[in-house]
Amino acid sequence: MWTNYHSHSEYCDGKFPIDAHLQAAIQKGFYAFGCSSHAPVDFENAWSMDLNQLATYVDEIRTFQQTYREQLLVFAGLEVDYIPDVISPRTDYILEAQLDYTVGSVHFVDRFEDGEHWGIDGSKSHFLKGLTDLWHGDIEAAVRRYYALIRQMVEEACPDVIGHIDKIKLHNHSEHLFSEDSKWYRQAVRETLDTIRQTKAIVEVNTRGIYKKKLPEPYPSLWILKELHQFGIPICLNSDSHHPREIDAQFQEMADLLLEIGFQKLMILDNKGWRAVPFTREGIEMEKTD
């Protein structure tokens, strides 16, 4: 059995209705599945849910919770951007939605002069434009700002799950803009992990970069996974799926890696709340915890 709490349907930039994702989870023998469409934001874009759809989205998930209660645990969540003074996991309409959980992510680092948000996981050309226009090519300053925003989110509006914590590396694999071995980079990451471990937040292990063939490692990178283990920060395994076929992509391979590092448990959300359970490369092992 597996769980996945980071998924996107046609309510945002994913493919197919929510029910198609749930049916895939049932067919694969999942224990629990969380729906986490991109939360509404107040600027035009092609990836987030419209605010006027939010109530319908939550109501639909609540209906599926009852429809599939004997086959699958279903949870209502959102992937919520953290953009200071714009949106956070503590924004009023997010709280008013009465979600089961939130995935908090940083996708944007400050703005261009015309007010456009600099998306760090968009096209390569957009990323490089922002690096030039906003940071005058200073990748260290840009990356430090990215991690400072994650720390600010954790301190001011801590989500249940921290989404793809090192997403800033997305274009680094092809552009070689910085080394993850750099002292300044490791310092920024460790400072961020130290902030997280003072909370109850969970860091997700996100396989999307691997199965989409954009990165050789997950979010976060192998060395950060080892740091998470040493820091004692809880993790969950997510695929950041945008299609029903992706809901468990690379899970077995990632479970092997996590076990090799020394992780023995994954965090899951079920009717008992968030809790740690043992796992193998075949999934979580509920019989050892009940």
Side-chain angles (χ1 to χ4, degrees):
M1 297 187 295
W2 289 114
T3 64
N4 180 19
Y5 304 101
H6 192 160
S7 67
H8 300 281
S9 67
E10 65 181 13
Y11 271 98
C12 56
D13 61 348
K15 306 295 183 184
F16 295 96
I18 288 174
D19 194 34
H21 297 257
L22 301 181
Q23 288 286 346
I26 291 170
Q27 291 170 9
K28 289 175 176 286
F30 267 52
Y31 176 67
F33 191 85
C35 307
S36 63
S37 284
H38 289 288
V41 293
D42 67 353
F43 55 90
E44 187 173 342
N45 65 83
W47 46 266
S48 75
M49 180 192 305
D50 291 332
L51 183 57
N52 60 16
Q53 291 183 302
L54 182 55
T56 301
Y57 168 81
V58 175
D59 287 346
E60 184 174 327
I61 296 171
R62 297 302 180 208
T63 297
F64 287 134
Q65 285 178 326
Q66 295 303 312
T67 301
Y68 296 122
R69 64 184 182 275
E70 301 298 329
Q71 300 165 281
L72 178 72
L73 294 173
V74 179
F75 294 97
L78 285 171
E79 182 178 15
V80 185
D81 276 273
Y82 180 75
I83 307 174
D85 302 319
V86 176
I87 186 174
S88 83
R90 302 293 296 174
T91 294
D92 286 346
Y93 61 83
I94 303 297
L95 296 177
E96 291 166 2
Q98 297 186 323
L99 303 166
D100 298 316
Y101 71 100
T102 55
V103 177
S105 301
V106 172
H107 296 98
F108 298 95
V109 179
D110 300 336
R111 303 189 189 192
F112 295 94
E113 286 188 2
D114 64 0
E116 180 187 2
H117 295 272
W118 179 41
I120 56 91
D121 70 337
S123 68
K124 186 185 300 183
S125 61
H126 183 74
F127 181 88
L128 294 176
K129 183 178 187 299
L131 181 60
T132 299
D133 292 359
L134 295 174
W135 302 97
H136 308 290
D138 188 345
I139 187 66
E140 178 178 342
V143 172
R144 283 186 180 275
R145 174 62 174 155
Y146 168 82
Y147 282 110
L149 285 170
I150 294 178
R151 294 193 296 273
Q152 188 175 340
M153 174 180 69
V154 171
E155 291 170 342
E156 296 181 357
C158 193
D160 298 286
V161 179
I162 311 294
H164 39 60
I165 192 171
D166 58 346
K167 193 67 176 287
I168 191 71
K169 74 182 181 186
L170 175 61
H171 296 298
N172 192 49
H173 179 60
S174 60
E175 293 298 308
H176 308 292
L177 299 168
F178 65 90
S179 170
E180 292 195 36
D181 293 328
S182 299
K183 183 178 180 180
W184 66 264
Y185 183 76
R186 298 211 168 200
Q187 179 186 38
V189 172
R190 289 183 177 122
E191 185 178 351
T192 304
L193 298 186
D194 188 55
T195 300
I196 293 170
R197 73 171 169 178
Q198 298 175 49
T199 72
K200 296 182 179 180
I202 300 159
V203 172
E204 74 166 4
V205 179
N206 182 316
T207 61
R208 185 166 180 80
I210 298 177
Y211 68 77
K212 297 300 287 185
K213 302 187 186 305
K214 293 184 178 181
L215 293 169
E217 290 188 320
Y219 303 110
S221 295
L222 177 59
W223 77 269
I224 302 178
L225 289 173
K226 292 178 179 178
E227 293 285 322
L228 285 167
H229 184 253
Q230 291 184 357
F231 272 72
I233 295 173
I235 62 169
C236 64
L237 181 56
N238 290 332
S239 72
D240 197 350
S241 54
H242 286 61
H243 191 288
R245 65 171 175 260
E246 298 171 347
I247 63 173
D248 61 351
Q250 292 290 317
F251 272 18
Q252 287 192 332
E253 295 85 350
M254 195 51 50
D256 287 338
L257 178 61
L258 294 174
L259 290 165
E260 182 179 339
I261 290 170
F263 287 101
Q264 297 180 345
K265 294 184 177 182
L266 295 172
M267 295 296 291
I268 67 163
L269 176 63
D270 64 11
N271 293 331
K272 298 179 181 179
W274 285 103
R275 59 195 181 111
V277 300
F279 71 100
T280 69
R281 76 182 315 268
E282 302 301 329
I284 58 174
E285 294 189 313
M286 299 304 298
E287 69 278 8
K288 293 185 179 180
T289 62
D290 295 339

